[in-house]
Amino acid sequence: MEVIILPDSKAASRLAAGMIADLIRKKSNCVLGLATGSTPLGIYRELVSMHNMEGLDFSEVTSFNLDEYVGLSPEHHASYHRFMQENLFNHINMPKDHVHIPDGLATDIPSYCQSYEEAIYQAGGIDLQLLGIGTDGHLGFNEPTSSLTSRTRIKTLDRQTILDNQRFFQPGESVPSHVITMGIGTILDAKTCLLIAFGESKAEAVAGMVEGPVAAILPASALQLHQKAIIILDEAAASKLAKREYYQWVYDHKPDWQKVGQS
Ligand code: PGA
């Protein structure tokens, strides 16, 4: 795992967006795994700005989102389809048929999930998977005790996740209790995993993910098994890491040829 600690979320988002842009410039038909929630918003803003100002070209890029609520239509204001349209896809030139987000209205969910896995495979696999982390350590919507080899499937949300995500819904509206999510095994198949976390509320989960044992009770700890997992944190999210000075030292002493996303 490579742990990068930056002063604030703006610097962290800029670096993450730079890594994604580097990949698109090197491999114009790359496959991105995308995430929703508050954390990636700054990254999407940076990517939109690079598209507008520097012509970053998404015309050959394909994407697969991690998850979606069961029962929400793509038009629902809190659906992840809507989130992705409003925060990224409406502002870049990625063709509509290159975009994949789990269908929350799928009727035969097991066979739909199987077809989502097949579509990722047919696209050549995910080159870079963007990830956040839940306060309970979830990855995608793989809640604690999810199998570390799981594939795309239906999951039931933890109460804490429902509370955390209530802010995206209107007062009186309930957060769906079921979701379709890529599995942890699906995520670990990506060539690079790029996890971003900001704020003190994530500090405990981040410490468990990086320095705790690999355990299904903290799904994000599965990233310790990945050959190329990059974790970008602000100071607050890094505040409970025992070896944070070491991670900082490693980053400060990186040889130039190893640096990505900083051009
Ligand atoms: P957040 O969610 O970015 O809204 O904090 C992250 C997650 O639940 O994975």
Side-chain angles (χ1 to χ4, degrees), residues 59-258:
S59 62
E60 293 178 42
V61 174
T62 295
S63 71
F64 288 88
N65 262 72
L66 281 168
D67 43 23
E68 178 60 287
Y69 292 105
V70 169
L72 296 197
S73 71
E75 295 75 34
H76 190 282
H77 71 92
S79 77
Y80 287 164
H81 278 77
R82 183 86 176 260
F83 176 100
M84 291 306 300
Q85 294 303 335
E86 288 178 355
N87 293 296
L88 186 64
F89 298 137
N90 285 349
H91 313 287
I92 60 173
N93 64 333
M94 198 189 296
K96 275 195 173 55
D97 62 347
H98 288 204
V99 169
H100 305 83
I101 304 175
D103 179 4
L105 299 182
T107 43
D108 181 348
I109 292 179
S111 73
Y112 176 76
C113 292
Q114 176 71 30
S115 71
Y116 201 73
E117 288 280 333
E118 275 162 20
I120 295 173
Y121 180 77
Q122 290 302 332
I126 292 171
D127 289 297
L128 183 146
Q129 176 67 57
L130 185 61
L131 296 158
I133 182 171
T135 55
D136 63 358
H138 70 217
L139 203 56
F141 268 140
N142 294 284
E143 297 285 26
T145 74
S146 288
S147 157
L148 299 185
T149 60
S150 49
R151 311 303 304 188
T152 304
R153 68 214 184 291
I154 189 168
K155 282 294 288 177
T156 308
L157 294 180
D158 189 278
R159 266 179 203 282
Q160 184 58 50
T161 305
I162 290 177
L163 289 175
D164 286 347
N165 287 3
Q166 188 69 57
R167 69 190 192 283
F168 295 111
F169 289 75
Q170 272 152 14
E173 202 178 26
S174 45
V175 179
S177 48
H178 290 90
V179 292
I180 292 174
T181 181
M182 278 186 204
I184 298 175
T186 320
I187 293 167
L188 292 180
D189 280 350
K191 293 176 190 87
T192 298
C193 286
L194 178 59
L195 184 142
I196 321 293
F198 305 139
E200 217 185 323
S201 66
K202 302 289 175 72
E204 199 160 326
V206 164
M209 163 179 71
V210 178
E211 295 176 342
V214 174
I217 197 70
L218 205 143
S221 66
L223 290 178
Q224 291 179 34
L225 300 170
H226 197 279
Q227 283 194 346
K228 194 160 183 222
I230 304 170
I231 316 296
I232 306 184
L233 308 169
D234 67 359
E235 295 277 359
S239 61
K240 294 196 172 153
L241 287 168
K243 293 189 73 69
R244 58 185 289 202
E245 280 177 22
Y246 170 65
Y247 309 134
Q248 195 68 58
W249 194 90
V250 170
Y251 186 62
D252 291 344
H253 292 80
K254 244 176 177 265
D256 282 346
W257 61 267
Q258 256 193 349

